[in-house]
């Protein structure tokens, strides 16, 4: 079974003359253990697509199936539970709660889901160890570097053992050194743990670590294939074009 698939997904906002069409018949499939990067110019619809893949929004038309469950056909409460238990999210701005330690940030989603305390602690510590942040687990986000905060955010996303990890510009707020470290971490999750990842990025160098690249322009899929074949030899040229 595929982890994720969409069929003829469209998304529009407003009505009448104010109606804006963002996505036009997007169909794609993501298999278990795939690392898929999505690129496109500003306003192309890539961020909207990611919110729909994560069940945050529903398409105007079409189907979005996560492990066979159509996110467009279930209630908002059911989507909330599914997001909490089967989807991990990584954001550009980290989205850590400033008054909670790294360990508490990782544990919080599982606590809100009513998981047993012993299980929460076990999964929290395992996730922090996986991203090499166990030694910083008692620190508040303000005491962590940007790269460390993002690793905590990755640990939080992984702790629930998600079917799918969605990353929205995960290196966008990081310097080049930290960006490479987070990129290597994401790649290792796929290669060593079989984690399925869909990542939106504007950085061609980051996109190259994925096994597959989808480019979107004007709400439609323009390319879907190997990053090296789509981006070519020049990262700088690819970044300008996308």
């Amino acid at each position: 079974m595929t982890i994720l698939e969409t069929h003829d997904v469209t998304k529009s906002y407003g009505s009448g003359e104010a109606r804006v069409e963002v996505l036009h018949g997007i169909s794609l499939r993501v298999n278990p253990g795939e690392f898929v990067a999505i690129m496109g110019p500003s306003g192309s619809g890539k961020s909207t697509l990611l919110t729909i893949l994560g069940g945050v929004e529903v398409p105007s038309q079409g189907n979005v199936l996560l492990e066979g469950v159509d996110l467009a056909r279930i209630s908002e409460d059911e989507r909330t539970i599914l997001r909490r238990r089967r989807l991990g999210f990584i954001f550009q701005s980290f989205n850590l709660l400033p008054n909670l330690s790294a360990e508490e940030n990782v544990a919080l989603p599982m606590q809100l889901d009513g998981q047993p305390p012993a299980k929460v602690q076990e999964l929290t510590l395992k996730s922090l160890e996986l991203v090499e942040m166990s030694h910083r687990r008692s620190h508040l986000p303000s005491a962590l570097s940007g790269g460390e905060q993002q690793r905590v955010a990755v640990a939080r996303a992984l702790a629930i053992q998600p079917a799918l990890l969605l990353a929205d510009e995960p290196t966008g707020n990081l310097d080049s050194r930290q960006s490479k470290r987070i990129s290597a971490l994401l790649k290792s999750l796929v290669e060593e743990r079989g984690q399925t990842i869909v990542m939106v990025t504007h950085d061609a160098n980051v996109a190259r670590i994925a096994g597959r690249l989808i480019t979107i322009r004007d709400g439609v899929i323009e390319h879907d294939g190997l990053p090296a074949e789509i981006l070519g030899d020049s990262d700088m040229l690819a970044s300008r074009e996308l």
Side-chain angles (χ1 to χ4, degrees):
M1 183 177 68
T2 59
I3 293 292
L4 177 72
E5 54 186 301
T6 71
H7 302 286
D8 296 320
V9 164
T10 68
K11 185 63 178 179
S12 61
Y13 298 96
S15 59
E17 294 184 359
R19 183 183 178 89
V20 177
E21 299 281 347
V22 181
L23 298 177
H24 309 276
I26 298 288
S27 295
L28 58 86
R29 177 176 292 183
V30 179
N31 293 316
E34 270 199 290
F35 191 172
V36 181
I38 299 176
M39 296 186 73
S42 178
S44 63
K46 61 184 184 298
S47 295
T48 298
L49 176 59
L50 197 70
T51 63
I52 289 174
L53 297 181
V56 178
E57 294 191 60
V58 295
S60 300
Q61 294 182 352
N63 308 96
V64 182
L65 281 72
L66 177 68
E67 296 183 305
V69 177
D70 192 343
L71 303 183
R73 301 292 180 265
I74 60 177
S75 69
E76 184 174 349
D77 286 344
E78 289 172 321
R79 284 196 304 276
T80 298
I81 293 173
L82 188 146
R83 287 197 305 270
R84 188 183 295 162
R85 295 178 179 176
R86 302 304 294 152
L87 290 168
F89 294 89
I90 305 171
F91 305 95
Q92 178 177 349
S93 57
F94 318 136
N95 284 16
L96 300 178
L97 294 179
N99 296 325
L100 297 183
S101 69
E103 182 175 348
E104 291 167 336
N105 266 285
V106 174
L108 184 60
M110 294 180 287
Q111 292 171 337
L112 294 175
D113 192 40
Q115 297 294 325
K119 182 179 179 181
V120 170
Q121 184 178 31
E122 177 187 359
L123 293 176
T124 296
L125 295 179
K126 282 184 177 180
S127 296
L128 286 168
E129 182 178 357
L130 180 64
V131 301
E132 300 180 348
M133 285 297 292
S134 296
H135 65 297
R136 305 282 276 170
R137 65 180 183 269
S138 62
H139 288 67
L140 295 176
S142 59
L144 303 175
S145 69
E148 288 174 329
Q149 289 185 62
Q150 192 61 296
R151 280 190 280 154
V152 172
V154 172
R156 178 183 57 192
L158 291 173
I160 64 167
Q161 301 175 313
L164 176 65
L165 192 61
L166 297 174
D168 188 5
E169 300 282 6
T171 64
N173 278 343
L174 304 177
D175 61 30
S176 59
R177 184 176 66 86
Q178 293 294 343
S179 175
K180 289 179 181 178
R181 186 166 186 177
I182 292 298
S183 297
L185 171 60
L186 295 177
K187 187 174 182 179
S188 72
L189 293 175
V190 175
E191 294 180 345
E192 298 174 16
R193 296 172 59 87
Q195 179 65 57
T196 308
I197 300 178
V198 174
M199 170 184 67
V200 164
T201 181
H202 69 277
D203 190 331
N205 289 318
V206 175
R208 285 184 183 278
I209 70 172
R212 176 179 162 203
L213 174 61
I214 294 173
T215 64
I216 295 179
R217 190 178 296 272
D218 298 327
V220 299
I221 293 178
E222 187 176 41
H223 301 289
D224 184 348
L226 296 175
E229 294 178 353
I230 295 172
L231 295 175
D233 295 329
S234 173
D235 288 345
M236 292 183 63
L237 177 61
S239 296
R240 288 200 300 271
E241 289 179 343
L242 293 172

